[in-house]
Every structure is written in C-alpha cells, then in structure tokens.
Amino acid sequence: MKLKQLSIPLENSPGRLHEVTKALGEAGINLRAHCICDSTHDFGVLRILVSDLPRARGVIMEKYIPARVDDVIAVEIEDNPGSLAHLLSLFLGTKVNVEYMYAVAGANLAKAVMVFHFNSIDLAIEILVKNSAKLLDANSFGILVEK
C-alpha cells in the first residue's frame, strides 16, 4: 500500500525542470504522478511517482542531482464536494498529520486520487484501512515493484 516517491530539490531556474524530465523520458521512465512546489525563491521540490524507481534514481544520480525516496499513500476518493474533508476527518483526534498532499489527474471523472505524505504513515494506513478507504498500490499506477 505504500508507494515510493522520488523527491528532487531543483534550482528555481529556467530549464532545470526540463533537464530532469527530459532525462527521465529519454530513459523510458514514465511519470505516474507529480507535483512541484516552491520551497524557497531559489529552490523547489519535484515529487514524482515513476514507472521504474531504481532506473529513475540512477538517471538522477548521473545528473549529480540529490534525491530522496519517501513513502506516500495514494487514496481514491469520490470526486464530489466535501470528499477530501470527509477523508481528512478520519484523522481528527489522532496524532496523524498530513505533511503534504497532491492530486493525481485521471480519466475517471467520478473519482479523484490523492497522494499523501503523513508524519506517521503506518498509523495513517491503519486508520484508512479500518475506515474502508480505497488505498491504491503500485500496480494501480503501473509502477514496477522491486522484488
């Protein structure tokens, strides 16, 4: 149920994002989900779920760009007003905090997929499973799983 996400700090300069996405594309690595946010005026963080994490890490390392692998959870919710708030209400009164999240666009307009990074991922999974939330696995994203 945990997904491995690559987090890459990038200089906030023209062409830097292109350099990384081009290198991944040329290596045949597909971006399954992604977001980029500005952490300072000089740097941002590119967070990506990729089709082949070991190869993606190798490509990034060849570019001498630091990267970190983080555990995240993908949850499918109804694409209706209030669905996200309902899901988040499951964590009220717990010690689970959302550190960041982003949405994944898809073809199914009746559903939305949210990717979460929690301060306590195992406890978050326990709460979500107990409440019958639909957690998506690597196979749902076409992500190669290391054996």
Side-chain angles (χ1 to χ4, degrees):
M1 288 186 277
K2 293 178 192 174
L3 301 174
K4 299 294 184 187
Q5 170 192 268
L6 202 53
S7 296
I8 306 166
L10 290 178
E11 294 169 271
N12 207 356
S13 62
R16 195 66 167 148
L17 180 60
H18 174 261
E19 176 187 1
V20 170
T21 57
K22 181 180 181 205
L24 292 171
E26 287 175 348
I29 298 164
N30 199 354
L31 304 182
R32 298 300 186 189
H34 50 83
C35 79
I36 190 164
C37 61
D38 185 13
S39 60
T40 70
H41 292 293
D42 298 327
F43 279 87
V45 178
L46 173 63
R47 293 185 170 106
I48 51 177
L49 297 178
V50 294
S51 58
D52 187 335
L53 181 65
R55 284 184 56 212
R57 289 181 72 191
V59 168
I60 297 305
M61 287 173 61
E62 287 172 9
K63 295 281 184 190
Y64 300 101
I65 300 171
R68 184 180 73 235
V69 176
D70 297 309
D71 287 330
V72 294
I73 303 171
V75 183
E76 184 179 271
I77 63 173
E78 295 297 320
D79 190 12
N80 295 321
S83 293
L84 179 57
H86 172 72
L87 181 75
L88 294 173
S89 73
L90 301 176
F91 302 107
L92 294 175
T94 72
K95 301 229 184 258
V96 175
N97 186 48
V98 175
E99 293 186 342
Y100 60 81
M101 68 179 200
Y102 54 95
V104 178
N108 184 352
L109 298 179
K111 303 288 182 180
V113 175
M114 302 302 299
V115 176
F116 293 95
H117 184 268
F118 293 99
N119 66 327
S120 178
I121 199 158
D122 292 325
L123 183 54
I125 289 171
E126 183 181 317
I127 291 167
L128 290 166
V129 167
K130 179 181 170 185
N131 287 279
S132 302
K134 183 171 182 185
L135 304 181
L136 302 178
D137 61 10
N139 203 31
S140 301
F141 283 91
I143 295 173
L144 176 71
V145 177
E146 295 180 70
K147 303 242 179 199

